[in-house]
Amino acid sequence: MPSHVSRRAAALGLVVAGAVAAAGCNRASASRLGEASDAAQRVYVPPGKYDEFYAFMSGGFDGQIGVYGLPSGRLLKHVPVFSQSAENGWGYSEQTKPMLATSYGFVPWDDAHHPELSQTDGVPDGRWLFINGNNTPRIARLDLTRFETEEILEIPNSAGNHSSPFMTENSEYVVAGTRFSVPAPQKDVSIDDYKEAFAGTLSYIKVDSATGHMAIAFQIRMPAFDYDLSHSGKGPSHGWSFFTTYNTEEGNSKLEVNASQKDKDYIAAINWKLAEQCVAQGKATTEPARYAHNLMGDDGIARTEWGTSVKVLTPAACPGLAYYLPTPKSPHGVDVDPSGEYIVGGGKLATVIPVHSFSKMQRAIADKAFAGEDHGIPVLKYEATVAGEVQNPGLGALHTEFDDRGNAYTSMFLSSEIVKWSLKTFKVLDRAPTYYSIGHLMIPGGDSRKPWGKYAVALNKITKDRYLPTGPELAQSAQLYDISGDRMKLLSDFPTIGEPHYAQALPASLIRDRQLKMYNLSANKDPWAAKNEKTTRVERKGSVVHVVMTSVRSHFMPDKIEGIQVGDSVYFHLTNLEQDWDVPHGFAVLGNNNAELLMMPGQTRTLAWVPSRAGIFPFYCTDFCSALHQEMQGYIRVSPKGSKVALKWNSPSYAAGAEQHDRDEHGEHGEHEEHADHNGDEGN
């Protein structure tokens, strides 16, 4: 063949090959575009439409809960719990400050890890949401008709309240385990005496079925291991709770080495029904303890009651209370499947995912299939309780949740993936990468008897290149996966507030139509409430001044006040007179070193202010409320200490003869005076 023909044929071949390659690239590009378009459609919620699910995500070191809509990933609300919030005055207003009281004093921060929905028959019911404070051991309860924190209970004899606040099947208890064992009761001892002087504590907090109010029913004193996470049984395993442990070596330093020596640690199985019986039979001891119980009253004012003792039960005093299930290695999560039969351990350093069987555990207990004892607690034989092991799951198993089709999903921290496996065969069915280093994962209802099973959310620890950079600290990440088919499919990711550790979700239909839209003004029981402008006033009691105010679109009453002195303790008691949904009013005053207030319709809130200099100080509404929002302002005159400037304020005109505020006595403009030397008791 002539060379020019050969060259022409070769060129034609290149053209054909290029065309084929281009067609292949076009098909691949079209396929990727189609996948992206499908994913976008799956998470798109049109304007004016609602998300299908509410998702409640812990704020970690931010001490709050973020409420997100799924599938959109839109942030709906930031709910302060263990942290002060200048947005709405939580922890700053006089009504909410007591919510952050502890035996250590006022603690306006905590590390919030695990939201947990109340349950009925093992299914989330949408009444309350509980969450733990990890650092200063506390459990909070939120009312899901208001999305507000209603109660915070401190837990004594505890440290590192991590395996908390996991719910029993009918919300009988929230349980809370000690991550850090400490001396119980606390005392000054050498840390080298760890094995002799330290103990772990598992607390059972009773939840009133009608009100949700919490009370410590009893505590179980356990060996000085680290009790990491928990879940309670359901169905056949109802009446039991399960806690992972690590550091069964009982090390007290360099735990990354000293607490990773054994091939197996434990899942502690606790028979809380038997514990109830033993406590009722007087087998628990009553020990002194001081702890705060903070509860929002029906008058909208939080108050602190002080606990003085707890009942403490030991396994030795209640045989059959506790058993250890050997579990490889350094287990983190412990999760109970929807049937209540399987108890899945997440061994951070394990090469398999162990699946314990509750029925096999019961037979092993009956047959005394023990491998020995540890601190007097029976250790069951591993082979006597394990139903199977998931082989080659990946690296760094942490947490498992379940769908409604007999499948389990485990987060693999080290290999950055979700692994789907069968509860029937214990075989891996699918893998999906996460970006990056997934911690917890969440399926709506995925730890309950009724998973809704449509989506999985990965809560990742690292984002790196996923978002626009924001300096040394990057946003935390949540990723949404479609799990409705045989293969998992990544739909979207979105940044979250704080460090999300765990999340819970439920159908929006369960709580959407039960939302409180306003507080009934006529039912406002706050003692400083002004239910109309005629009852607004300013009162001096020594160096304490109470300003009883109202706000309504678009003015405050009063909005002109004189006679305040430097160093006075001024309490602004503001009542929002609106009776319409989503019309809050704010309040801020120049020079205040506290926060603003945000009053919901019909609500009263109080702000304390101590003026430090003389002058004229404006105040204004911080929440846009109307076309005349900018006009919603006022002035306070502050005079030097000891000044003879009379206390006076403007107020609406009163009918002739009404009390002492008639027009003749107080002037044409309705201004009211009270002399600065008016005698009265100091204090709020």
Side-chain angles (χ1 to χ4, degrees):
M1 180 181 295
S3 62
H4 69 278
V5 175
S6 176
R7 287 194 299 271
R8 188 177 300 166
L12 181 61
L14 289 173
V15 170
V16 171
V20 171
C25 287
N26 288 338
R27 284 195 296 270
S29 297
S31 176
R32 287 193 294 270
L33 184 61
E35 290 178 1
S37 176
D38 177 65
Q41 288 180 344
R42 291 293 310 277
V43 301
Y44 178 64
V45 178
K49 300 297 182 181
Y50 296 142
D51 279 284
E52 185 178 357
F53 293 94
Y54 284 104
F56 303 93
M57 299 188 185
S58 71
F61 43 69
D62 198 31
Q64 49 74 34
I65 290 174
V67 184
Y68 296 81
L70 296 181
S72 73
R74 297 181 297 197
L75 176 63
L76 303 177
K77 191 174 180 64
H78 162 280
V79 184
V81 183
F82 303 111
S83 56
Q84 290 178 298
S85 174
E87 178 185 355
N88 56 17
W90 177 261
Y92 291 107
S93 69
E94 298 302 298
Q95 289 87 347
T96 61
K97 280 182 182 178
M99 293 297 285
L100 299 174
T102 77
S103 63
Y104 299 94
F106 182 76
V107 180
W109 171 85
D110 218 315
D111 187 14
H113 277 216
H114 305 123
E116 182 81 358
L117 290 161
S118 57
Q119 299 180 8
T120 300
D121 295 328
V123 180
D125 56 29
R127 290 181 295 166
W128 308 302
L129 182 73
F130 299 81
I131 190 166
N132 63 321
N134 193 38
N135 185 65
T136 305
R138 290 175 279 183
I139 291 176
R141 178 177 59 84
L142 281 69
D143 183 329
L144 290 183
T145 65
R146 298 184 289 116
F147 282 64
E148 292 180 1
T149 305
E150 190 169 71
E151 184 176 15
I152 297 179
L153 176 66
E154 186 182 4
I155 304 173
N157 299 324
S158 182
N161 176 41
H162 195 253
S163 45
S164 168
F166 294 97
M167 181 69 60
T168 59
E169 187 175 85
N170 287 295
S171 305
E172 299 95 338
Y173 295 98
V174 288
V175 301
T178 304
R179 177 181 168 192
F180 312 126
S181 289
V182 292
Q186 273 279 21
K187 55 186 175 182
D188 178 19
V189 297
S190 171
I191 298 173
D192 292 335
D193 294 335
Y194 183 98
K195 292 184 178 181
E196 294 77 26
F198 288 49
T201 302
L202 310 179
S203 300
Y204 281 75
I205 292 107
K206 192 71 175 175
V207 179
D208 184 272
S209 60
T211 64
H213 294 176
M214 297 182 289
I216 299 175
F218 55 88
Q219 296 183 316
I220 300 172
R221 185 157 294 153
M222 297 287 285
F225 306 154
D226 291 54
Y227 296 85
D228 198 6
L229 278 166
S230 178
H231 267 98
S232 292
K234 52 181 76 92
S237 54
H238 178 59
W240 289 76
S241 295
F242 306 96
F243 298 81
T244 49
T245 70
Y246 65 95
N247 192 26
T248 54
E249 297 88 349
E250 296 181 89
N252 57 63
S253 67
K254 296 183 179 179
L255 294 194
E256 76 275 17
V257 175
N258 293 325
S260 303
Q261 300 296 309
K262 296 182 179 179
D263 288 335
K264 291 183 176 69
D265 291 284
Y266 301 126
I267 289 174
I270 303 295
N271 186 341
W272 60 260
K273 286 281 191 182
L274 179 61
E276 287 181 325
Q277 297 175 20
C278 289
V279 171
Q281 293 166 3
K283 295 182 179 180
T285 60
T286 299
E287 297 185 2
R290 177 175 166 79
Y291 56 96
H293 184 190
N294 309 320
L295 185 64
M296 189 67 70
D298 61 4
D299 55 4
I301 301 173
R303 295 173 178 84
T304 300
E305 296 180 356
W306 291 99
T308 58
S309 65
V310 289
K311 293 181 179 179
V312 178
L313 188 64
T314 64
C318 186
L321 169 66
Y323 298 91
Y324 283 136
L325 282 62
T327 302
K329 177 181 182 183
S330 296
H332 185 56
V334 54
D335 302 283
V336 181
D337 85 305
S339 74
E341 168 63 15
Y342 294 125
I343 305 146
V344 181
K348 300 190 295 290
L349 304 179
T351 58
V352 298
I353 299 174
V355 184
H356 296 281
S357 160
F358 180 74
S359 57
K360 289 188 70 174
M361 185 192 86
Q362 293 294 88
R363 286 196 297 272
I365 292 171
D367 295 342
K368 300 187 184 303
F370 302 147
E373 292 185 346
D374 199 330
H375 291 73
I377 295 174
V379 178
L380 298 170
K381 293 180 179 178
Y382 181 69
E383 61 273 13
T385 65
V386 170
E389 296 176 335
V390 181
Q391 300 291 326
N392 302 313
L395 299 175
L398 292 184
H399 307 280
T400 300
E401 297 239 325
F402 308 92
D403 68 16
D404 54 348
R405 296 178 293 131
N407 301 310
Y409 301 75
T410 301
S411 57
M412 311 300 293
F413 176 77
L414 294 176
S415 52
S416 289
E417 59 184 332
I418 299 174
V419 174
K420 175 182 176 181
W421 50 275
S422 169
L423 283 165
K424 294 180 180 178
T425 65
F426 306 133
K427 301 291 187 184
V428 172
L429 303 175
D430 190 24
R431 300 175 184 274
T434 62
Y435 305 98
Y436 303 92
S437 298
I438 181 175
H440 274 278
L441 81 164
M442 179 274 286
I443 293 170
D447 70 340
S448 76
R449 296 188 73 178
K450 185 184 177 181
W452 285 280
K454 193 171 183 178
Y455 303 110
V457 177
L459 302 170
N460 302 324
K461 302 301 183 185
I462 299 171
T463 54
K464 293 297 186 188
D465 54 1
R466 301 300 289 182
Y467 308 118
L468 287 171
T470 53
E473 183 186 20
L474 302 180
Q476 307 292 326
S477 170
Q479 294 188 291
L480 182 72
Y481 294 79
D482 173 10
I483 60 169
S484 61
D486 292 335
R487 303 297 299 271
M488 293 177 281
K489 181 179 180 181
L490 176 61
L491 298 178
S492 69
D493 55 11
F494 53 92
T496 60
I497 299 173
E499 185 190 4
H501 288 266
Y502 187 41
Q504 294 257 278
L506 80 175
S509 58
L510 283 178
I511 60 176
R512 184 186 65 209
D513 296 332
R514 297 195 295 110
Q515 294 305 297
L516 180 73
K517 295 186 175 181
M518 70 198 75
Y519 292 92
N520 187 335
L521 183 62
S522 64
N524 186 327
K525 298 180 181 179
D526 190 297
W528 293 104
K531 297 183 181 180
N532 55 64
E533 293 187 351
K534 291 183 179 181
T535 57
T536 59
R537 61 197 184 276
V538 181
E539 300 175 354
R540 174 178 288 282
K541 297 182 178 180
S543 62
V544 175
V545 179
H546 295 281
V547 182
V548 182
M549 302 176 67
T550 59
S551 59
V552 70
R553 288 168 285 185
S554 296
H555 65 272
F556 294 103
M557 186 56 64
D559 63 5
K560 186 171 63 172
I561 303 166
E562 298 190 19
I564 306 298
Q565 298 184 16
V566 171
D568 279 346
S569 293
V570 183
Y571 293 91
F572 298 100
H573 309 283
L574 275 90
T575 300
N576 182 346
L577 298 182
E578 307 283 356
Q579 289 291 267
D580 193 7
W581 190 19
D582 194 29
V583 189
H585 288 298
F587 175 84
V589 59
L590 175 65
N592 186 43
N593 59 5
N594 194 332
E596 69 150 7
L597 289 178
L598 192 64
M599 293 75 63
M600 298 301 109
Q603 187 180 56
T604 301
R605 283 287 180 257
T606 299
L607 185 70
W609 177 48
V610 180
S612 60
R613 66 183 73 168
I616 303 299
F617 295 84
F619 58 87
Y620 67 103
C621 176
T622 55
D623 192 285
F624 195 95
C625 55
S626 72
L628 297 177
H629 167 72
Q630 293 295 93
E631 284 76 6
M632 194 168 174
Q633 65 183 54
Y635 290 102
I636 299 172
R637 176 185 176 185
V638 177
S639 301
K641 187 70 175 176
S643 169
K644 298 301 182 181
V645 175
L647 187 67
K648 63 180 181 178
W649 63 97
N650 65 321
S651 184
S653 297
Y654 278 63
E659 300 180 342
Q660 59 181 355
H661 302 292
D662 61 277
R663 184 183 298 269
D664 294 336
E665 181 179 350
H666 295 291
E668 190 65 27
H669 297 288
E671 290 192 345
H672 305 270
E673 296 191 7
E674 183 175 314
H675 292 292
D677 59 356
H678 175 78
N679 293 323
D681 297 329
E682 295 188 10
N684 184 14

